[in-house]
Amino acid sequence: MSAKEIQAAERISTSACSSPARGLGDPGITPLSPSHIASKDSDSDAAEEQTFSVVVAIDFGTTSSGYAYSFSKEPECIHIMRRWEGGDPGVSNQKTPTTMLLMPDRKFHSFGFAARDFYHDLDPSESKHWLYFEKFKMKLHSSTDLTMETELTAANGKRVKALEIFAYALQYFKEQALKELSDQAGSEMDSAEVRWVITVPAIWKQPAKQFMRQAAYKAGMATPENPEQLIIALEPEGASIYCRKLRLHQMIDLSSKAAINGISPTDPAKDLARRNRQSRTFLVENVIGELWSELEEGDRYVVVDCGGGTVDLTVHQIRLPEGHLKELYKASGGPYGSLGVDYEFEKLLCKIFGDDFIDTFKVKRPAAWVDLMIAFESRKRAAAPDRTNPLNITLPFSFIDYYKKFRGHSVEHALRKSNVDFVKWSSQGMLRMNPDAMNALFKPTIDPIIQHLTNLFQKPEVAGVKFLFLVGGFAESPLLQQAVQQAFGDQCRVIIPHDVGLTILKGAVLFGLDPALIKVRRSPLTYGVGVLNRYVEGKHPPEKLLLKDGTRWCTDVFDKFILADQSVALGETVKRSYTPAKQSQLIIIIHIYSSEQDDANFITDKGVRKCGTLRLDLTGPESAPVPSRREIQTIMQFGDTEIKATAVDVATSKNVKVSIDFLN
């Protein structure tokens, strides 16, 4: 190594080695006592926030997506995006499917219904060269090692960087929204006037939230220099904020009547909901809705956000008179969205026609497979607890034709031969399922939701909950509604807002207008760093002993910034000071560790994993003299929807460039 390379290596050597016992560099960390300081200036940037004339929220869902907006001048009016082209028989569409089509050269072609319909109309010989993506948001939840390089697989098996696909989707929404805003304003709307809000599940980890932010930067919604232009909102929080505003005619109380698809047969609200659908503009009470007149200071409620991919649960407490919200228990949930029902249907098809055929058919006739799943979707929505007549699912002609070529006998023969007696063949070319068979497809998805809720209701923080709000697209399912009402109707009132699939979108707009609505959150994980502490005989394990310059140190100590499920207020900060190992060191890289438990003592304990890095850039003007000992104070915020950090050079009081990275 040349002298220059050694110097460069020294400059970047981490001052907080993940394990100084192995790194043996100067520990370089002077952990001050954890100072939880609730900063008083949390409203200081309120003046800055007024510069956005409009808030646009994008609900980027697993199965469907949409946007809504509100002008700062009239925050009580929420406008839902204009009608989408296309649509499905038997499915009302206020949002568009989260589907994307790229041309064979990987350039963006279309999104939503347009992508799906164009792909469907392509000749099979052509369609295999086009790249079609659907349900791709789940990749961010299911990837344990998400990075900027993570790839998605198109229907034809080709792979593309996930970041590109997400950026294309967000760019599409950005262009649609700006076009609509410009048409409405009568003049070109500048993106700089817009505050963008993107919704994500509350159970998403930091890497997935950071990934969404990076995709939004790539789509031109904001920049790393102006991050405030983009807010990441948590889906159940959006729903919770909107539910505060509900009037009695805007919801169904399952406790008081039997609802069909969220609206009871004799409900006058049905006409109102229909009128609302046409108008696309929702008026929101600027006071708290009628429902809350029944709530008292400190009352608790649960929001269950049931989407296509995930189910997200949040427990909130109301603070009157402003109606601010406090999170009482860390967000929980899992991959129990309505996609689970689609997987069960696919498993049923595999049982009847064979895994080998279904796998081949999906690759060889991808557009026909999409058709089949669309046909299933509309029948899935017709499933209800008291249904007695069978549900017919049309099989595409190419399915019937390809099966005969593949197996040498007919689809009808396969159904007769299979042991599946609740699915019959109808002479019109349809699979005929009896209602019990359809309901059975829901069971593996609904059961874990009920189980998860049952566990949640046993927590002391959730005792005495007054309401349970069921929101999200999957909440339209009468089967899910009935299961939740039967399990919890005697403990609290189960409420379903009208237009339940738009609840999160409307709430996200309200959140963008006033991000300080949620005053207290719970940390989902324990976060901290590895440090050296003075070794204490009898307290510290002997294998952690490190002797350096005559001092006995204990290595790998987990210095915790915040504990899992710890209550943290908006604007509250955690401060730590760090010292560079050498005077010449200009970059400090500190590894951040996390754990689901709050009792880990060492970064080597079971369940503790490295989850990110804090990078302090100490480079200043060339001429500036470097002090012999520098103390850099880092200030971290855990009370927002994303973890944020700032840093200050104590000697000069100048800000230090700091970045916190959970992706690389």
Side-chain angles (χ1 to χ4, degrees):
M1 246 175 142
S2 70
K4 260 189 183 158
E5 284 172 322
I6 291 168
Q7 274 176 328
E10 275 178 4
R11 272 208 301 278
I12 299 185
S13 77
T14 128
S15 74
C17 301
S18 51
S19 173
R22 289 183 290 281
L24 273 194
D26 186 300
I29 293 192
T30 48
L32 301 183
S33 59
S35 39
H36 279 275
I37 297 171
S39 66
K40 298 286 176 280
D41 53 21
S42 53
D43 298 327
S44 63
D45 44 15
E48 230 176 299
E49 282 170 19
Q50 296 314 308
T51 54
F52 300 109
S53 60
V54 62
V55 167
V56 177
I58 297 168
D59 178 5
F60 193 133
T62 304
T63 48
S64 62
S65 298
Y67 66 86
Y69 56 93
S70 179
F71 295 97
S72 321
K73 288 200 293 286
E74 27 170 36
E76 64 287 343
C77 281
I78 299 176
H79 308 272
I80 302 290
M81 62 193 191
R82 48 182 157 202
R83 282 228 163 274
W84 293 92
E85 298 305 309
D88 294 331
V91 178
S92 71
N93 60 308
Q94 280 166 315
K95 295 204 273 184
T96 191
T98 309
T99 51
M100 187 186 294
L101 186 62
L102 302 189
M103 295 183 269
D105 64 0
R106 296 173 179 243
K107 297 256 189 331
F108 176 81
H109 179 270
S110 48
F111 186 89
F113 289 114
R116 216 181 60 186
D117 296 346
F118 186 91
Y119 181 61
H120 165 260
D121 292 342
L122 285 169
D123 187 80
S125 61
E126 251 190 296
S127 68
K128 61 173 183 255
H129 300 296
W130 289 65
L131 290 86
Y132 180 77
F133 296 88
E134 60 178 357
K135 303 172 181 138
F136 49 85
K137 181 184 166 191
M138 272 307 276
K139 182 80 176 180
L140 299 199
H141 177 72
S142 54
S143 271
T144 46
D145 52 352
L146 184 67
T147 69
M148 305 283 266
E149 306 302 313
T150 297
E151 292 184 322
L152 296 172
T153 308
N156 63 0
K158 295 200 171 125
R159 296 167 74 80
V160 180
K161 271 193 188 170
L163 192 71
E164 282 179 31
I165 299 298
F166 279 84
Y168 275 144
L170 291 173
Q171 194 174 350
Y172 174 79
F173 277 113
K174 180 183 129 187
E175 285 164 10
Q176 292 291 322
L178 287 175
K179 195 157 163 276
E180 182 170 343
L181 288 167
S182 301
D183 289 352
Q184 213 169 0
S187 61
E188 197 68 23
M189 172 66 78
D190 182 8
S191 182
E193 293 175 64
V194 179
R195 164 166 263 173
W196 301 95
V197 180
I198 299 174
T199 65
V200 303
I203 52 172
W204 268 16
K205 303 270 194 299
Q206 289 298 326
K209 293 178 188 172
Q210 186 184 332
F211 186 93
M212 264 312 205
R213 182 168 279 282
Q214 292 301 330
Y217 288 166
K218 198 171 161 72
M221 286 178 167
T223 60
E225 293 69 44
N226 182 20
E228 299 302 316
Q229 192 176 357
L230 169 72
I231 296 179
I232 299 289
L234 308 181
E235 287 162 0
E237 285 191 356
S240 179
I241 288 167
Y242 178 69
C243 288
R244 285 157 57 254
K245 304 274 190 181
L246 283 176
R247 311 237 11 200
L248 294 174
H249 65 70
Q250 294 172 315
M251 61 189 199
I252 314 301
D253 189 338
L254 282 192
S255 325
S256 59
K257 57 183 95 167
I260 298 167
N261 255 338
I263 293 181
S264 71
T266 55
D267 199 335
K270 200 166 187 179
D271 301 327
L272 191 95
R274 202 177 283 125
R275 282 204 301 279
N276 262 353
R277 263 194 204 116
Q278 261 95 51
S279 79
R280 288 181 34 253
T281 297
F282 292 86
L283 287 176
V284 182
E285 298 292 298
N286 54 8
V287 293
I288 289 197
E290 289 163 307
L291 195 59
W292 298 108
S293 57
E294 301 177 38
L295 276 178
E296 292 153 24
E297 170 75 37
D299 272 347
R300 302 148 182 228
Y301 61 93
V302 177
V303 176
V304 185
D305 168 22
C306 309
T310 52
V311 168
D312 238 1
L313 300 98
T314 299
V315 187
H316 276 160
Q317 185 174 42
I318 187 107
R319 288 175 162 188
L320 300 172
E322 309 87 354
H324 288 149
L325 300 176
K326 172 182 180 179
E327 188 176 21
L328 290 182
Y329 185 75
K330 65 179 182 186
S332 62
Y336 322 128
S338 60
L339 280 186
V341 185
D342 299 3
Y343 293 139
E344 289 302 314
F345 177 60
E346 194 178 319
K347 270 160 62 178
L348 178 66
L349 292 176
C350 289
K351 197 171 168 187
I352 299 168
F353 303 109
D355 292 339
D356 55 343
F357 169 71
I358 296 296
D359 289 345
T360 311
F361 181 73
K362 279 160 80 173
V363 174
K364 297 284 190 201
R365 300 281 185 275
W369 175 256
V370 170
D371 260 8
L372 175 55
M373 292 315 286
I374 293 168
F376 173 68
E377 180 65 29
S378 78
R379 305 326 297 142
K380 177 171 102 179
R381 287 168 185 250
D386 46 6
R387 190 183 173 103
T388 51
N389 51 332
L391 294 128
N392 293 326
I393 298 157
T394 308
L395 283 183
F397 171 74
S398 69
F399 185 98
I400 299 166
D401 182 52
Y402 195 76
Y403 183 78
K404 190 154 181 116
K405 285 180 184 149
F406 190 87
R407 286 271 190 258
H409 59 242
S410 71
V411 162
E412 192 180 349
H413 176 80
L415 272 159
R416 273 205 310 272
K417 291 279 288 184
S418 78
N419 301 330
V420 182
D421 51 358
F422 44 77
V423 180
K424 300 275 183 269
W425 176 247
S426 128
S427 53
Q428 289 106 348
M430 295 176 178
L431 292 180
R432 176 167 286 185
M433 289 182 79
N434 76 31
D436 292 345
M438 178 59 100
N439 297 1
L441 297 181
F442 280 77
K443 197 171 155 49
T445 301
I446 290 178
D447 285 355
I449 297 174
I450 301 299
Q451 186 55 54
H452 200 97
L453 269 167
T454 305
N455 298 345
L456 185 70
F457 269 80
Q458 285 161 2
K459 306 267 185 250
E461 297 90 339
V462 190
V465 159
K466 244 187 192 174
F467 296 104
L468 184 154
F469 290 101
L470 207 50
V471 303
F474 192 23
E476 290 173 4
S477 161
L479 290 166
L480 177 60
Q481 291 176 9
Q482 185 197 51
V484 172
Q485 174 60 25
Q486 281 178 351
F488 308 104
D490 57 344
Q491 296 175 58
C492 60
R493 282 168 62 189
V494 180
I495 305 279
I496 301 176
H498 284 325
D499 285 324
V500 67
L502 299 177
T503 308
I504 289 157
L505 201 44
K506 296 176 201 168
V509 173
L510 295 172
F511 182 65
L513 291 164
D514 181 8
L517 271 168
I518 302 206
K519 293 291 183 204
V520 181
R521 289 187 174 87
R522 295 279 178 149
S523 174
L525 297 168
T526 297
Y527 288 101
V529 293
V531 297
L532 294 178
N533 275 359
R534 288 294 173 100
Y535 187 83
V536 179
E537 203 71 54
K539 177 187 168 189
H540 292 138
E543 68 273 14
K544 298 289 183 194
L545 174 62
L546 167 71
L547 259 177
K548 187 159 191 301
D549 302 334
T551 306
R552 290 154 64 85
W553 295 98
C554 177
T555 64
D556 295 337
V557 175
F558 191 20
D559 170 32
K560 294 170 226 171
F561 298 151
I562 192 161
L563 304 179
D565 204 33
Q566 182 179 329
S567 209
V568 54
L570 197 62
E572 193 176 319
T573 60
V574 178
K575 296 184 179 178
R576 290 289 190 277
S577 285
Y578 299 109
T579 309
K582 299 185 177 62
Q583 193 177 348
S584 60
Q585 186 181 347
L586 297 177
I587 303 284
I588 301 181
I589 292 174
I590 298 158
H591 297 306
I592 299 175
Y593 293 83
S594 68
S595 168
E596 291 186 7
Q597 312 308 321
D598 56 10
D599 56 358
N601 295 315
F602 298 96
I603 57 173
T604 49
D605 285 358
K606 190 172 183 250
V608 180
R609 57 184 220 93
K610 187 180 151 200
C611 66
T613 51
L614 186 70
R615 186 177 190 272
L616 303 171
D617 184 345
L618 311 185
T619 49
E622 289 296 317
S623 54
V626 178
S628 58
R629 185 183 184 281
R630 294 175 83 176
E631 185 186 329
I632 310 299
Q633 187 177 59
T634 61
I635 301 129
M636 278 160 288
Q637 285 193 26
F638 292 90
D640 217 324
T641 57
E642 298 170 275
I643 295 173
K644 295 174 180 170
T646 51
V648 175
D649 189 327
V650 175
T652 62
S653 300
K654 284 203 165 56
N655 279 345
V656 170
K657 256 186 20 203
V658 59
S659 58
I660 192 160
D661 185 7
F662 293 98
L663 272 177
N664 293 320

